[in-house]
Amino acid sequence: MELIFFSILSEDGIQMEDSRPPGTYILGREANCDIVLPSIGVSRRHVQVQVSEEAVEIEDLGSSAGTFVDDIQILEATILELPVQMMLGHLTVTMYSQKRPLQPAEETLSGLLETRFVENEEELHVNLALSGDVCAPVPVGNMTDQTQHRLEMLYALPLQFAAEKDLTKLYSLIVKRVIELTPGAVRGALLIKDPYDGKLSLRASVSEEAPPISRTLIRRVAIEQKGFIWGDEESDHQNLSTSMAAIRIRTGMYAPLVWDGETVGVLFLDNPNRRSAFTQEDLQFLMSVAHYAASAVANQLLQNDIQQNNRTLQNLLANFSPKLRSRLLTKSREGKLQPGGEKSEVTILLSDLRGFTRTSASLDTQVVVDMLNDYFHVLGEEIFRHDGTIDKFIGDAILAVFGSPEADPLHALKAVQAAIEMQRRMAIVNERRKAEGLPYCELGVGVHTGQVIHGFIGAEERLEYTVIGDTVNKTSRYCDGAGPSEILLGPLTNQEVAGYFLITEKGVSTKHEGLLPAFSVDWQAHLAADAG
């Protein structure tokens, strides 16, 4: 029987493979799904696929992030030919079969060059073939066995350095390899410049004694960016500093790690037992190793920075819907996600758990946290599903904005639709919690439309999304005035959604602003009408 292959690629590059016979499968975060996708951006039961050897029918199961194929959201059951690549939250799922395999990437070297074909390929003769995993012989004659061996080791260094992703292990590997390449070396050390304060600090050493470091010579090599041998001349040993005499430096060899014009570190070897321990050839090898080491260290530091920046950016964008998050990530990569705010009309939604303080007062901390997570999970899903942005969690309340950070002409309608779905999901969760004998709360929601200042505030290294303005304060009044399981709208929101929902006019009494006009949405009647 033909197999169907599922290739699952996470945003951070981790790839998983699965294969199944043709059939119907549910993909999602729940453990009882046919194919479990352990990602926070994937809904518990995200998508159903009915796949054969040639095609697949894809049906989104009401996921919060949506299911996308070629940047087009799957809104109804859709049949596509294999291979198919789906985006589920942060995951890319590719489905293909032996009958319809993955197509090779179009951007290959052969695609960039003019292709010429040889008719009689059996007549081609290859004079020499070298295996890609074997170090090539040194293409130089008249060398000693030792020099040839050192060159072979040197050729292997770039791949060895590139393969080590742990910085601490990479530092140690550099020192060990350079000592292996240098017969006269007894001790060695690697110092790396701290990116924050610019100081050179010891990162690895090979020595039974304390690392033999001369600050004077280290500073010299870092500043001049030149490698040198010290200690060959008698004059080198006159007027030695106390520290240099104490660590018995007889002959030392130094090389800078220079990358992009900057000194990123210093390599040091020495021999405390004899003078003239190193030759010009030794220094040339050391400089070569230092060059490879500088490349590997700079690259790994850059990768670490990128990973840290990605984690910071992911944390920053965690409160945005997956669709908005994808756009903002693209902007960030293009350097377009900059600090700054703008003033425009948006819709603010504020939800609050009624009776939470009273209910949680007598409960254990873990029970309270579990209850909040239970509610916030489904409430957040509905905000995201309707293209909203969660500005912040305030205790048991959620402040969300629709129409920001990207403009949306339907922001008012989507906010009310989200509020209705939030109440529907709350009712479902509460029925379950009641059946399980767990504490529960009702939800009050206020929705108000108006002008606000919104955007990413702060410095480039520390951005924070925020919404500022009287509209936010007014939304709080409407939320406070909403009863359990009620949705209250402000006047402008009511105007924007008039005719879509059954709405009753009422007022909200406030301490400083008097009676505010408010409009209550009969969300249960709306859901019943949709169901009918």
Side-chain angles (χ1 to χ4, degrees):
M1 176 184 292
E2 293 274 354
L3 288 176
I4 309 300
F5 300 97
F6 295 81
S7 179
I8 303 158
L9 179 65
S10 68
E11 194 176 46
D12 56 8
I14 299 174
Q15 187 153 0
M16 300 177 289
E17 302 288 342
D18 199 347
S19 60
R20 304 291 178 96
T24 301
Y25 302 102
I26 292 178
L27 286 68
R29 205 173 69 244
E30 278 189 349
N32 60 359
C33 288
D34 300 304
I35 298 178
V36 179
L37 305 176
S39 173
I40 194 169
V42 175
S43 295
R44 293 179 180 179
R45 293 168 62 84
H46 195 110
V47 65
Q48 176 178 288
V49 296
Q50 184 175 345
V51 60
S52 67
E53 297 171 9
E54 297 188 351
V56 59
E57 180 178 291
I58 303 172
E59 181 179 358
D60 187 87
L61 301 178
S63 65
S64 59
T67 301
F68 293 82
V69 176
D70 294 332
D71 294 327
I72 299 173
Q73 187 170 6
I74 303 297
L75 300 176
E76 57 186 22
T78 303
I79 298 176
L80 300 169
E81 290 185 353
L82 294 180
V84 169
Q85 187 177 86
M86 302 185 298
M87 284 296 298
L88 313 178
H90 304 309
L91 298 184
T92 302
V93 179
T94 305
M95 297 173 286
Y96 60 98
S97 66
Q98 293 165 313
K99 194 169 187 179
R100 287 187 172 271
L102 286 175
Q103 300 300 316
E106 295 181 4
E107 283 294 319
T108 60
L109 183 60
S110 60
L112 299 176
L113 302 176
E114 180 181 359
T115 304
R116 298 178 182 272
F117 296 96
V118 178
E119 296 297 331
N120 300 317
E121 295 186 9
E122 66 274 10
E123 297 178 5
L124 294 176
H125 176 67
V126 176
N127 293 320
L128 176 65
L130 297 176
S131 174
D133 60 355
V134 176
C135 180
V138 181
V140 180
N142 301 321
M143 289 188 300
T144 65
D145 291 342
Q146 175 179 292
T147 301
Q148 178 155 340
H149 176 65
R150 293 172 74 181
L151 278 172
E152 290 172 353
M153 291 177 64
L154 186 66
Y155 286 166
L157 287 185
L159 289 177
Q160 292 177 14
F161 290 168
E164 183 52 72
K165 304 304 180 186
D166 183 285
L167 266 176
T168 302
K169 293 179 180 177
L170 175 60
Y171 296 150
S172 179
L173 178 64
I174 291 169
V175 177
K176 289 178 180 177
R177 289 293 178 267
V178 77
I179 287 183
E180 289 174 4
L181 278 165
T182 313
V186 174
R187 304 180 295 196
L190 173 66
L191 294 90
I192 297 294
K193 181 182 287 186
D194 189 295
Y196 299 103
D197 60 20
K199 294 181 179 179
L200 286 164
S201 301
L202 181 68
R203 290 291 180 263
S205 66
V206 172
S207 171
E208 295 180 358
E209 307 170 14
I213 299 171
S214 163
R215 294 291 180 184
T216 302
L217 296 177
I218 290 295
R219 280 195 296 269
R220 175 180 167 184
V221 71
I223 294 171
E224 295 181 0
Q225 295 187 343
K226 294 179 180 179
F228 56 80
I229 299 172
W230 177 91
D232 275 357
E233 304 296 330
E234 183 64 34
S235 58
D236 292 339
H237 296 270
Q238 295 174 359
N239 302 318
L240 280 179
S241 68
T242 304
S243 59
M244 291 179 69
I247 57 179
R248 297 187 302 118
I249 298 178
R250 297 280 290 178
T251 307
M253 189 162 58
Y254 300 77
L257 275 63
V258 180
W259 189 253
D260 197 22
E262 295 290 328
T263 301
V264 298
V266 173
L267 256 175
F268 163 72
L269 298 177
D270 93 322
N271 190 314
N273 304 316
R274 64 186 179 93
R275 194 179 301 171
S276 301
F278 304 118
T279 65
Q280 180 179 342
E281 182 181 285
D282 292 331
L283 181 59
Q284 289 173 332
F285 272 99
L286 181 65
M287 294 293 288
S288 298
V289 175
H291 177 74
Y292 294 148
S295 172
V297 170
N299 180 67
Q300 194 55 49
L301 288 171
L302 177 61
Q303 293 302 317
N304 288 356
D305 283 345
I306 290 173
Q307 291 176 12
Q308 181 60 44
N309 290 339
N310 280 339
R311 284 192 292 268
T312 302
L313 189 60
Q314 289 291 346
N315 291 336
L316 172 66
L317 302 182
N319 289 354
F320 295 90
S321 69
K323 185 164 66 175
L324 280 174
R325 194 180 304 146
S326 177
R327 294 173 186 169
L328 293 173
L329 281 170
T330 300
K331 281 188 175 182
S332 174
R333 295 186 183 109
E334 295 173 352
K336 297 178 181 178
L337 191 63
Q338 301 293 331
E342 60 179 297
K343 189 174 185 179
S344 61
E345 183 182 274
V346 301
T347 298
I348 305 294
L349 180 152
L350 181 63
S351 69
D352 181 74
L353 297 177
R354 296 294 182 254
F356 175 79
T357 303
R358 183 181 64 256
T359 302
S360 62
S362 59
L363 300 176
D364 291 338
T365 301
Q366 191 58 50
V367 176
V368 174
V369 171
D370 290 344
M371 180 167 61
L372 283 176
N373 287 339
D374 210 0
Y375 287 133
F376 283 174
H377 175 75
V378 297
L379 299 178
E381 279 190 342
E382 293 306 326
I383 291 170
F384 288 159
R385 198 160 70 90
H386 292 85
D387 297 332
T389 294
I390 296 176
D391 179 48
K392 59 177 67 73
F393 294 93
I394 314 166
D396 59 324
I398 302 176
L399 180 64
V401 57
F402 294 77
S404 174
E406 295 195 348
D408 186 344
L410 300 177
H411 57 81
L413 179 60
K414 289 181 178 180
V416 178
Q417 289 173 330
I420 291 173
E421 288 301 310
M422 290 165 73
Q423 292 288 15
R424 181 183 69 82
R425 298 285 297 275
M426 278 291 294
I428 294 172
V429 172
N430 280 341
E431 283 299 317
R432 173 175 56 78
R433 293 186 68 86
K434 290 176 187 178
E436 295 174 358
L438 298 173
Y440 62 93
C441 298
E442 304 294 341
L443 188 72
V445 184
V447 183
H448 185 49
T449 302
Q451 293 278 328
V452 298
I453 297 173
H454 59 100
F456 293 93
I457 308 300
E460 289 187 20
E461 65 274 9
R462 174 135 173 79
L463 290 177
E464 184 173 325
Y465 175 82
T466 190
V467 180
I468 305 169
D470 185 59
T471 300
V472 180
N473 300 328
K474 285 280 180 63
T475 308
S476 179
R477 308 287 186 269
Y478 290 114
C479 181
D480 291 343
S485 302
E486 186 177 22
I487 302 170
L488 279 188
L489 311 181
L492 189 52
T493 309
N494 178 58
Q495 292 177 25
E496 293 289 330
V497 302
Y500 287 95
F501 312 102
L502 182 61
I503 294 175
T504 304
E505 185 173 358
K506 61 181 291 188
V508 172
S509 179
T510 66
K511 183 176 180 180
H512 300 290
E513 297 156 297
L515 190 66
L516 293 178
F519 303 85
S520 180
V521 180
D522 191 341
W523 58 272
Q524 292 169 318
H526 176 76
L527 291 174
D530 275 358

